Amino acid sequence: MEFQPLGDPLPHIPDDVTVPQFLFDTPHEVRPKRDVKTPWLIQDETGKMLYEDELRYRTHGLANALATKYHIKENDVVLLFSRNHIDYPVAIWATHRLGAVISGANPDFTSSELLYQLEATKASIIVVHPDALSIALSAAQQAGLSKDRVVIFDTPGIPRDVYDSHETVGRLMEFGLRNKTVYKERRLSPGEGRTKLAFLSFSSGTTGRPKAVAIPHFALIANVIQIAVHNKVHQDYCPVEDRRYRPGDVAIGVLPLYHIYGLVINLHYILFCGMSLVVIPKFNFVEMLKSIVRHRISHLFLVPPQVVLICKHPSVKDYDPRKYVRMIMCGAAPLSHELNQQLFEMFPDAHIGQAYGMTETCTATTMWPIEKKRGMSGSSGILLPGCVARVVKTDGTLAGYEEPGELVIKTPSVALGYANNAQATTETFIDGWVRTGDEVKVRKDGEVIVLDRLKEIMKVKGFQVAPAELEGCLLDHPDVSNACVVGVPDDYSGEVPLAFVVLTQNAANKVKDDPAAGDAVKKSIMKHVAVNKIHYKHLAGGVEFLSVIPTSPSGKLLRRVLREEAKKLRPSKPQAKL
């Protein structure tokens, strides 16, 4: 059967505007009225506030400078390689004003990981946080991108030589504002928003190296409206003090804005709701507690490791965020029943729940019901307006209520596919439906329960990690002849990678009778991955030697066999009752 949403119908979604035109210039029936005295963005460390008019000016100034100095034009790609910054959204909107495309990269990437994204997107300019400048310059050089096309965000304490030798976003804005406008803002024809590319956001999909998910302007706009309708932000559905989202509320912006959860929900949806966003460059838990108190933050958007800290970190008692926090959403990975219960006890009056989504669906497809202050433990919520779901059993038939199977979903916020990867696109995007790779069941009350991950992707601290990517890296190590990577449970990260490795004959002979040599080889293998991959892809689960990797008759890795072996080697600890 097909599962339909239970809530309000979806209103008109404009398909002839870009993301910044939607945010700045387009009235909508479900958009609450913003108080002009409410800032849009707040810089965490300084308290600097940016209001609508200033954001318009900054967006125009940067767009004009990008067009004038760098000749950014239709469909060019601007790559943002930065921690959260108060001008990060401005860079997005300025790029879109020109009809160009944004690709956000993790600022903790190694040079080789950034080079991969540069080459995959054919980016023509990099905007980088000074902290990541050396990595950006190295990758740019290898990609054939000149040094003058690496622009830095203005941050306090930039060394004078760095400031003098690189163009900055702030100087570009000033240049663009004082000079004649040379660009014509990109306007869309009716329906064009459904296909006009806005973002190339990277996701591991189901296998292999990260893939560029092609997201049109319409997808982000649709998801913002879906979430707004679901949460009744435009309705007086209950006393104002109990409403989940209210104009003037203050949200934390600690989720990375290059990640789809941070980009769509934490940034654009919050601004659509008439709220303020406190932009925090880098997550530090104690500093986050200080920010909650300093800015009286009411809304937290988190991932499970951050929830673990809220429940267990001793510093929580020193700041008591309960005075201010009235909503906590957790996404990117499932939250355990124990953590849910602890949150409920710690914040007895707050709205608390989970949501489910993918980069391929431009974020959320389910969310806990607005009628319930507390989401049901173990549930990802109910379908958002406009979403339709199927649960496909292993025999290909459709499941009914309470029957497990793969979640396949249709939503107006669907991406266009994977850029330059027709095979992966046809495997995941099928006639308007998206295969999620997650096993779920749907209860009769509409709650969607995620049971297991059918695809091979691991979720480490909420980030996708493809085993095949790590296996490719391992095979570059001189002592490794074959490898298979699986995830093992971890209290903090959810799961972490464990590598099963077959050594070359020379390495195997060396370690056969010498445990110390074996330990040295394991450390060398782990270091090799650490040097070449971002921190959450490191082999925190360790390395185990095998004489042979089990495979099917066709040569496919039998990963499930090694998952079972991993359970014996790294048994799960019983979850403490929090």
Side-chain angles (χ1 to χ4, degrees), residues 400-465:
Y401 289 115
E402 302 287 356
E403 291 186 297
E406 181 184 4
L407 177 65
V408 182
I409 202 149
K410 180 182 282 188
T411 174
S413 66
V414 68
L416 300 173
Y418 298 113
N420 305 313
N421 195 329
Q423 180 180 345
T425 298
T426 56
E427 291 170 356
T428 300
F429 298 87
I430 303 169
D431 297 329
W433 296 82
V434 179
R435 294 188 61 185
T436 67
D438 287 317
E439 183 183 45
V440 307
K441 67 177 180 180
V442 179
R443 292 172 21 131
K444 290 186 178 180
D445 59 5
E447 297 275 357
V448 178
I449 313 296
V450 178
L451 302 172
D452 196 7
R453 193 171 301 117
L454 298 174
K455 58 190 179 186
E456 295 181 343
I457 293 299
M458 292 174 278
K459 275 289 187 80
V460 183
K461 298 181 180 178
F463 292 102
Q464 291 182 333
V465 178

Side-chain angles (χ1 to χ4, degrees), residues 515-576:
D519 290 342
V521 171
K522 288 182 178 181
K523 288 178 182 177
S524 175
I525 291 170
M526 293 175 72
K527 181 178 179 181
H528 172 74
V529 173
V531 167
N532 288 282
K533 297 296 175 183
I534 194 168
H535 60 87
Y536 58 81
K537 296 178 183 177
H538 295 179
L539 299 177
V543 174
E544 294 292 336
F545 297 146
L546 290 179
S547 59
V548 64
I549 300 291
T551 60
S552 68
S554 64
K556 187 175 181 180
L557 297 179
L558 292 177
R559 208 178 300 279
R560 58 182 169 75
V561 174
L562 291 182
R563 283 199 193 101
E564 293 304 313
E565 182 64 21
K567 289 177 183 177
K568 300 174 189 174
L569 293 168
R570 309 282 193 275
S572 300
K573 301 173 193 172
Q575 287 281 345

Side-chain angles (χ1 to χ4, degrees), residues 196-233:
K196 173 59 181 162
L197 192 59
F199 300 96
L200 289 172
S201 295
F202 278 69
S203 166
S204 289
T206 54
T207 59
R209 301 188 77 177
K211 301 169 183 66
V213 182
I215 298 174
H217 289 266
F218 182 83
L220 183 146
I221 293 167
N223 203 236
V224 167
I225 292 174
Q226 287 175 285
I227 300 169
V229 173
H230 172 84
N231 287 298
K232 301 184 185 294
V233 299

Side-chain angles (χ1 to χ4, degrees), residues 238-243 246 326 351 373:
C238 70
V240 66
E241 60 270 16
D242 290 329
R243 289 179 206 158
R246 307 171 303 188
R326 54 184 304 274
H351 292 253
K373 213 167 191 178

Side-chain angles (χ1 to χ4, degrees), residues 72-378:
I72 299 299
K73 59 188 185 305
E74 181 88 7
N75 296 327
D76 283 349
V77 176
V78 175
L79 192 146
L80 302 183
F81 183 52
S82 176
R83 308 195 183 287
N84 291 359
H85 188 283
I86 201 164
D87 283 325
Y88 196 111
V90 173
I92 293 172
W93 303 328
T95 299
H96 287 162
R97 293 282 196 204
L98 302 175
V101 180
I102 283 289
S103 185
N106 190 321
D108 292 322
F109 270 172
T110 63
S111 178
S112 62
E113 289 171 316
L114 179 60
L115 175 62
Y116 171 75
Q117 188 159 333
L118 275 173
E119 293 179 335
T121 60
K122 298 180 174 60
S124 59
I125 186 172
I126 307 174
V127 185
V128 59
H129 192 284
D131 287 352
L133 180 59
S134 61
I135 296 291
L137 290 173
S138 172
Q141 183 181 30
Q142 294 176 75
L145 205 60
S146 64
K147 177 182 173 182
D148 64 358
R149 299 191 78 82
V150 178
V151 175
I152 58 176
F153 280 112
D154 299 78
T155 59
I158 298 179
R160 190 72 210 183
D161 60 323
V162 174
Y163 186 79
D164 290 341
S165 59
H166 289 276
E167 189 60 270
T168 75
V169 168
R171 286 203 298 257
L172 285 175
M173 287 176 185
E174 293 171 2
F175 174 88
L177 287 169
R178 70 173 179 263
N179 282 278
K180 179 183 176 182
T181 301
V182 300
Y183 75 96
K184 185 177 181 181
E185 182 176 355
R186 183 63 160 84
R187 301 287 176 180
L188 305 182
S189 304
E192 190 181 1
R194 297 175 183 269
T195 57
K196 173 59 181 162
L197 192 59
F199 300 96
L200 289 172
S201 295
F202 278 69
S203 166
S204 289
T206 54
T207 59
R209 301 188 77 177
K211 301 169 183 66
V213 182
I215 298 174
H217 289 266
F218 182 83
L220 183 146
I221 293 167
N223 203 236
V224 167
I225 292 174
Q226 287 175 285
I227 300 169
V229 173
H230 172 84
N231 287 298
K232 301 184 185 294
V233 299
H234 62 303
Q235 296 182 25
D236 297 332
Y237 66 95
C238 70
V240 66
E241 60 270 16
D242 290 329
R243 289 179 206 158
R244 191 172 293 172
Y245 297 98
R246 307 171 303 188
D249 283 340
V250 182
I252 198 162
V254 75
L255 294 176
L257 294 177
Y258 66 81
H259 191 281
I260 200 71
Y261 179 13
L263 175 70
V264 179
I265 299 179
N266 207 175
L267 174 62
H268 287 91
Y269 169 68
I270 284 302
L271 296 183
F272 182 85
C273 288
M275 295 170 59
S276 299
L277 182 68
V278 178
V279 181
I280 297 177
K282 187 176 182 180
F283 173 69
N284 174 286
F285 183 68
V286 174
E287 292 302 316
M288 185 182 87
L289 293 175
K290 293 178 182 176
S291 299
I292 291 171
V293 175
R294 181 164 62 248
H295 301 292
R296 299 177 177 269
I297 290 171
S298 55
H299 286 60
L300 302 184
F301 294 87
L302 305 174
V303 292
Q306 294 166 336
V307 174
V308 171
L309 290 171
I310 283 181
C311 292
K312 295 187 175 184
H313 201 287
S315 294
V316 172
K317 67 180 185 303
D318 299 327
Y319 297 94
D320 196 9
R322 290 173 296 184
K323 294 178 184 177
Y324 311 103
V325 173
R326 54 184 304 274
M327 198 279 323
I328 301 174
M329 178 191 289
C330 186
L335 197 63
S336 71
H337 171 74
E338 290 82 6
L339 285 173
N340 256 323
Q341 294 305 120
Q342 179 71 354
L343 275 183
F344 294 165
E345 291 170 14
M346 289 181 67
F347 298 89
D349 298 320
H351 292 253
I352 299 173
Q354 298 183 62
Y356 171 90
M358 307 166 66
T359 309
E360 289 81 353
T361 58
C362 197
T363 323
T365 52
T366 72
M367 196 169 285
W368 84 103
I370 191 64
E371 294 80 13
K372 299 178 181 179
K373 213 167 191 178
R374 306 305 176 83
M376 186 181 80
S377 286

